[in-house]
Amino acid sequence: MAPTTAAAAALKPSPFSREVRRWRALRRMSQLELATLAGTTQRHLSFIESGRSAPGRAMVVRLAESLALSLRERNALLLAAGYAPAYEESPRDAATIEPAMTALRSILTGHLPYPAVVAGPRGELVLANAAFEVLTEGAAAHLLEPPVNVLRLALHPEGMGPRVVNLAAWGRHVTESVRARAAAHPDAGLDALVAELAGYLPAGAPPGPDHLGFAVPLRLRTSGGELRLLTTLTSFATAVDVTLAELHLEAFLPADQETGELLRRRAAARDATPPG
Protein backbone atom coordinates (compact mmCIF):
# COMPACT_ATOMS: atom_id res chain seq x y z
CA MET A 1 0.00 0.00 0.00
CA ALA A 2 1.35 3.42 -0.91
CA PRO A 3 2.00 5.74 2.04
CA THR A 4 -0.55 8.47 2.69
CA THR A 5 0.34 12.07 2.00
CA ALA A 6 0.60 12.74 5.72
CA ALA A 7 2.87 9.75 6.27
CA ALA A 8 5.09 10.73 3.36
CA ALA A 9 5.37 14.25 4.71
CA ALA A 10 6.27 12.88 8.14
CA LEU A 11 9.15 10.92 6.63
CA LYS A 12 10.47 13.84 4.61
CA PRO A 13 13.80 15.03 6.05
CA SER A 14 13.44 18.33 7.87
CA PRO A 15 15.84 21.26 7.51
CA PHE A 16 17.40 20.06 10.76
CA SER A 17 17.88 16.53 9.41
CA ARG A 18 19.53 17.86 6.28
CA GLU A 19 21.82 20.09 8.35
CA VAL A 20 22.95 17.17 10.52
CA ARG A 21 23.76 15.11 7.42
CA ARG A 22 25.57 18.05 5.82
CA TRP A 23 27.74 18.66 8.88
CA ARG A 24 28.46 14.96 9.36
CA ALA A 25 29.60 14.72 5.72
CA LEU A 26 31.74 17.84 6.13
CA ARG A 27 33.39 16.32 9.21
CA ARG A 28 33.77 12.99 7.36
CA MET A 29 32.12 11.09 10.19
CA SER A 30 30.05 7.93 9.94
CA GLN A 31 26.68 7.69 11.62
CA LEU A 32 28.21 5.31 14.16
CA GLU A 33 31.04 7.72 14.98
CA LEU A 34 28.71 10.67 15.47
CA ALA A 35 26.19 8.63 17.43
CA THR A 36 28.91 7.37 19.77
CA LEU A 37 30.26 10.86 20.39
CA ALA A 38 26.76 12.22 21.01
CA GLY A 39 25.86 9.41 23.42
CA THR A 40 23.09 7.88 21.33
CA THR A 41 22.63 4.90 19.01
CA GLN A 42 23.27 4.69 15.29
CA ARG A 43 19.63 3.66 14.86
CA HIS A 44 18.38 6.78 16.63
CA LEU A 45 20.71 9.03 14.59
CA SER A 46 19.52 7.31 11.41
CA PHE A 47 15.94 8.10 12.37
CA ILE A 48 16.89 11.73 13.06
CA GLU A 49 18.62 12.11 9.69
CA SER A 50 15.70 10.54 7.82
CA GLY A 51 13.15 12.72 9.60
CA ARG A 52 11.51 9.78 11.36
CA SER A 53 12.50 11.06 14.79
CA ALA A 54 12.45 14.59 16.22
CA PRO A 55 15.31 15.06 18.71
CA GLY A 56 14.98 16.83 22.02
CA ARG A 57 16.86 20.05 22.67
CA ALA A 58 19.57 18.28 24.68
CA MET A 59 20.24 15.88 21.81
CA VAL A 60 20.56 18.78 19.36
CA VAL A 61 23.13 20.39 21.65
CA ARG A 62 25.03 17.10 22.00
CA LEU A 63 25.10 16.62 18.23
CA ALA A 64 26.33 20.18 17.72
CA GLU A 65 29.12 19.68 20.26
CA SER A 66 30.10 16.35 18.72
CA LEU A 67 30.28 17.98 15.28
CA ALA A 68 32.61 20.66 16.72
CA LEU A 69 30.32 23.48 15.61
CA SER A 70 31.01 27.06 16.59
CA LEU A 71 28.53 28.73 18.95
CA ARG A 72 26.98 30.60 16.02
CA GLU A 73 26.56 27.30 14.13
CA ARG A 74 25.09 25.62 17.22
CA ASN A 75 22.49 28.36 17.48
CA ALA A 76 21.63 27.86 13.81
CA LEU A 77 21.24 24.10 14.33
CA LEU A 78 18.95 24.69 17.30
CA LEU A 79 16.82 27.06 15.22
CA ALA A 80 16.62 24.49 12.42
CA ALA A 81 15.31 21.99 14.98
CA GLY A 82 12.69 24.45 16.22
CA TYR A 83 14.41 25.52 19.42
CA ALA A 84 15.54 28.91 20.66
CA PRO A 85 19.27 29.70 20.43
CA ALA A 86 21.27 28.69 23.50
CA TYR A 87 24.08 31.24 23.23
CA GLU A 88 23.84 35.01 23.51
CA GLU A 89 25.47 37.28 20.94
CA SER A 90 26.31 40.47 22.81
CA PRO A 91 27.42 43.77 21.29
CA ARG A 92 31.14 44.27 21.85
CA ASP A 93 30.41 47.17 24.19
CA ALA A 94 27.83 45.25 26.25
CA ALA A 95 28.24 45.27 30.02
CA THR A 96 27.90 41.48 30.10
CA ILE A 97 31.20 40.93 28.29
CA GLU A 98 33.04 44.02 29.54
CA PRO A 99 35.09 42.00 32.10
CA ALA A 100 36.45 39.82 29.29
CA MET A 101 37.15 42.83 27.07
CA THR A 102 38.93 44.56 29.97
CA ALA A 103 41.04 41.43 30.44
CA LEU A 104 41.94 41.47 26.74
CA ARG A 105 43.01 45.11 26.95
CA SER A 106 45.20 44.24 29.94
CA ILE A 107 46.82 41.39 28.02
CA LEU A 108 47.53 43.70 25.08
CA THR A 109 49.15 46.27 27.37
CA GLY A 110 51.13 43.60 29.18
CA HIS A 111 52.48 42.29 25.87
CA LEU A 112 54.26 45.56 25.13
CA PRO A 113 56.77 46.36 23.68
CA TYR A 114 55.67 43.66 21.23
CA PRO A 115 52.65 44.13 18.92
CA ALA A 116 49.38 42.33 19.57
CA VAL A 117 45.84 42.62 18.23
CA VAL A 118 42.39 41.21 18.91
CA ALA A 119 40.44 40.45 15.75
CA GLY A 120 37.03 39.12 14.78
CA PRO A 121 36.24 36.03 12.70
CA ARG A 122 36.95 37.69 9.33
CA GLY A 123 40.01 39.62 10.46
CA GLU A 124 38.26 42.81 11.54
CA LEU A 125 40.36 44.70 14.10
CA VAL A 126 38.73 44.98 17.52
CA LEU A 127 41.62 46.01 19.79
CA ALA A 128 45.34 46.67 19.39
CA ASN A 129 48.20 47.79 21.59
CA ALA A 130 50.52 50.73 20.93
CA ALA A 131 53.11 48.53 19.20
CA PHE A 132 50.60 47.83 16.42
CA GLU A 133 52.11 50.89 14.74
CA VAL A 134 55.06 48.81 13.58
CA LEU A 135 52.63 46.80 11.42
CA THR A 136 50.86 49.85 10.00
CA GLU A 137 54.04 51.77 9.15
CA GLY A 138 53.71 53.21 5.65
CA ALA A 139 50.28 51.68 5.02
CA ALA A 140 47.80 53.52 2.82
CA ALA A 141 45.21 55.56 4.71
CA HIS A 142 42.26 53.63 3.23
CA LEU A 143 43.55 50.40 4.83
CA LEU A 144 43.58 52.07 8.25
CA GLU A 145 40.04 53.43 8.11
CA PRO A 146 37.62 51.54 10.39
CA PRO A 147 36.76 48.80 10.11
CA VAL A 148 40.42 47.82 9.66
CA ASN A 149 40.94 44.27 8.42
CA VAL A 150 44.25 42.95 9.77
CA LEU A 151 44.39 40.11 7.23
CA ARG A 152 44.02 42.51 4.32
CA LEU A 153 46.54 44.88 5.91
CA ALA A 154 49.03 42.02 6.28
CA LEU A 155 49.21 41.18 2.57
CA HIS A 156 47.91 44.16 0.65
CA PRO A 157 50.41 45.84 -1.74
CA GLU A 158 49.59 49.14 -0.05
CA GLY A 159 49.81 47.62 3.40
CA MET A 160 52.48 45.37 4.92
CA GLY A 161 52.94 43.38 1.70
CA PRO A 162 55.93 45.29 0.23
CA ARG A 163 57.70 45.20 3.61
CA VAL A 164 57.36 41.42 4.12
CA VAL A 165 60.65 39.92 3.00
CA ASN A 166 59.23 36.38 2.85
CA LEU A 167 55.83 37.36 1.45
CA ALA A 168 55.32 34.18 -0.60
CA ALA A 169 55.87 31.82 2.34
CA TRP A 170 54.29 33.92 5.06
CA GLY A 171 51.40 34.92 2.80
CA ARG A 172 50.63 31.26 2.17
CA HIS A 173 50.58 30.74 5.93
CA VAL A 174 47.96 33.50 6.28
CA THR A 175 45.78 32.38 3.38
CA GLU A 176 45.93 28.68 4.24
CA SER A 177 44.94 29.45 7.82
CA VAL A 178 41.88 31.37 6.65
CA ARG A 179 41.10 28.70 4.05
CA ALA A 180 41.20 25.99 6.73
CA ARG A 181 38.85 28.01 8.92
CA ALA A 182 36.44 28.45 6.01
CA ALA A 183 36.55 24.73 5.26
CA ALA A 184 35.74 23.80 8.85
CA HIS A 185 33.12 26.53 9.26
CA PRO A 186 31.70 27.38 5.80
CA ASP A 187 31.31 31.11 5.32
CA ALA A 188 30.92 32.88 1.99
CA GLY A 189 32.58 35.96 3.46
CA LEU A 190 35.68 33.99 4.38
CA ASP A 191 35.76 32.36 0.94
CA ALA A 192 35.72 35.80 -0.67
CA LEU A 193 38.46 37.00 1.68
CA VAL A 194 40.67 34.01 0.85
CA ALA A 195 40.31 34.73 -2.87
CA GLU A 196 41.19 38.38 -2.29
CA LEU A 197 44.22 37.61 -0.12
CA ALA A 198 45.54 34.98 -2.54
CA GLY A 199 45.50 37.63 -5.25
CA TYR A 200 48.04 39.70 -3.32
CA LEU A 201 50.65 36.92 -3.26
CA PRO A 202 53.44 36.62 -5.80
CA ALA A 203 53.20 33.80 -8.30
CA GLY A 204 55.92 31.23 -7.89
CA ALA A 205 56.97 27.64 -8.15
CA PRO A 206 55.48 25.11 -5.71
CA PRO A 207 57.50 24.31 -2.57
CA GLY A 208 60.54 22.11 -3.15
CA PRO A 209 61.63 18.96 -1.27
CA ASP A 210 63.37 21.02 1.43
CA HIS A 211 60.21 23.00 2.22
CA LEU A 212 59.67 23.30 5.98
CA GLY A 213 56.00 24.23 5.84
CA PHE A 214 55.21 27.45 7.63
CA ALA A 215 57.95 27.01 10.25
CA VAL A 216 59.42 30.42 9.43
CA PRO A 217 59.01 33.75 11.22
CA LEU A 218 57.51 36.83 9.65
CA ARG A 219 60.36 38.94 8.29
CA LEU A 220 59.25 42.55 8.24
CA ARG A 221 61.21 45.57 7.05
CA THR A 222 60.80 48.69 9.20
CA SER A 223 62.39 52.13 9.32
CA GLY A 224 64.62 50.86 12.13
CA GLY A 225 65.66 47.55 10.58
CA GLU A 226 64.27 44.11 9.82
CA LEU A 227 62.07 42.34 12.38
CA ARG A 228 61.76 38.57 12.69
CA LEU A 229 58.49 37.80 14.44
CA LEU A 230 56.78 34.65 15.65
CA THR A 231 53.02 34.67 16.11
CA THR A 232 50.68 33.05 18.63
CA LEU A 233 46.90 32.78 18.51
CA THR A 234 44.67 32.68 21.58
CA SER A 235 40.89 32.32 21.77
CA PHE A 236 38.18 31.87 24.40
CA ALA A 237 37.87 28.09 24.48
CA THR A 238 35.07 28.09 27.08
CA ALA A 239 33.10 31.18 26.03
CA VAL A 240 29.31 30.91 26.06
CA ASP A 241 28.78 34.17 24.17
CA VAL A 242 29.02 34.13 20.37
CA THR A 243 30.83 37.47 20.27
CA LEU A 244 33.59 36.38 22.65
CA ALA A 245 33.92 32.94 21.08
CA GLU A 246 34.61 34.51 17.68
CA LEU A 247 37.43 36.76 18.90
CA HIS A 248 41.06 35.75 18.77
CA LEU A 249 44.17 37.43 20.07
CA GLU A 250 47.23 37.40 17.83
CA ALA A 251 50.45 38.23 19.65
CA PHE A 252 53.80 38.77 17.95
CA LEU A 253 57.02 37.70 19.68
CA PRO A 254 60.64 38.39 18.72
CA ALA A 255 62.34 35.46 17.01
CA ASP A 256 65.80 36.80 17.84
CA GLN A 257 67.54 39.18 20.20
CA GLU A 258 67.94 41.91 17.59
CA THR A 259 64.18 42.04 17.00
CA GLY A 260 63.46 42.31 20.70
CA GLU A 261 65.93 45.17 21.07
CA LEU A 262 64.54 47.02 18.03
CA LEU A 263 60.99 46.80 19.42
CA ARG A 264 62.14 48.01 22.84
CA ARG A 265 63.83 51.02 21.21
CA ARG A 266 60.65 51.83 19.28
CA ALA A 267 58.64 51.65 22.49
CA ALA A 268 61.05 53.98 24.27
CA ALA A 269 60.80 56.45 21.38
CA ARG A 270 56.98 56.34 21.49
CA ASP A 271 56.99 56.94 25.24
CA ALA A 272 59.34 59.88 24.84
CA THR A 273 57.18 61.54 22.18
CA PRO A 274 54.81 64.17 23.63
CA PRO A 275 51.12 63.45 22.91
CA GLY A 276 49.48 65.40 20.13
Side-chain angles (χ1 to χ4, degrees):
M1 179 182 297
T4 65
T5 302
L11 293 177
K12 183 179 180 180
S14 66
F16 170 76
S17 300
R18 291 193 293 270
E19 280 297 284
V20 172
R21 287 205 310 274
R22 180 177 73 85
W23 279 112
R24 183 170 62 79
L26 187 66
R27 298 291 187 255
R28 298 184 179 183
M29 298 172 67
S30 68
Q31 280 189 341
L32 179 59
E33 288 172 324
L34 178 55
T36 301
L37 287 173
T40 188
T41 64
Q42 182 178 358
R43 177 182 173 84
H44 186 205
L45 179 58
S46 176
F47 276 29
I48 289 173
E49 289 192 357
S50 66
R52 297 175 65 185
S53 178
R57 187 174 185 275
M59 174 55 67
V60 176
V61 172
R62 292 208 306 273
L63 287 170
E65 291 176 339
S66 301
L67 289 164
L69 303 191
S70 69
L71 298 194
R72 183 179 298 279
E73 291 160 348
R74 295 181 194 190
N75 277 347
L77 196 65
L78 282 162
L79 284 170
Y83 297 106
Y87 307 98
E88 295 290 334
E89 183 176 357
S90 304
R92 287 175 183 157
D93 59 354
T96 52
I97 63 172
E98 179 54 32
M101 300 301 288
T102 297
L104 284 173
R105 285 188 283 269
S106 297
I107 292 171
L108 292 178
T109 300
H111 192 67
L112 290 169
Y114 312 133
V117 301
V118 174
R122 296 180 184 174
E124 61 274 23
L125 180 66
V126 177
L127 298 168
N129 65 9
F132 180 59
E133 57 85 17
V134 77
L135 304 181
T136 63
E137 183 180 285
H142 69 90
L143 292 174
L144 304 180
E145 294 174 359
V148 175
N149 188 294
V150 294
L151 296 170
R152 181 176 293 113
L153 174 68
L155 303 183
H156 198 283
E158 294 181 89
M160 289 169 57
R163 296 193 294 128
V164 177
V165 177
N166 55 340
L167 181 60
W170 192 72
R172 284 188 64 231
H173 157 65
V174 174
T175 55
E176 290 305 315
S177 176
V178 181
R179 184 175 284 113
R181 196 184 319 154
H185 305 282
D187 179 344
L190 279 181
D191 291 338
L193 184 60
V194 169
E196 177 190 344
L197 297 178
Y200 299 144
L201 301 185
D210 58 346
H211 179 60
L212 297 177
F214 302 127
V216 291
L218 163 64
R219 297 177 56 194
L220 183 67
R221 299 184 188 94
T222 74
S223 57
E226 183 181 310
L227 299 177
R228 293 171 60 85
L229 296 165
L230 304 173
T231 60
T232 64
L233 286 176
T234 306
S235 61
F236 288 97
T238 57
V240 291
D241 188 289
V242 173
T243 300
L244 285 181
E246 290 184 340
L247 297 181
H248 68 268
L249 185 152
E250 183 164 10
F252 294 81
L253 295 167
D256 53 36
Q257 185 174 347
E258 291 76 14
T259 294
E261 181 56 33
L262 193 155
L263 289 170
R264 285 188 287 272
R265 288 199 304 269
R266 289 184 74 109
R270 283 195 309 271
D271 295 340
T273 302

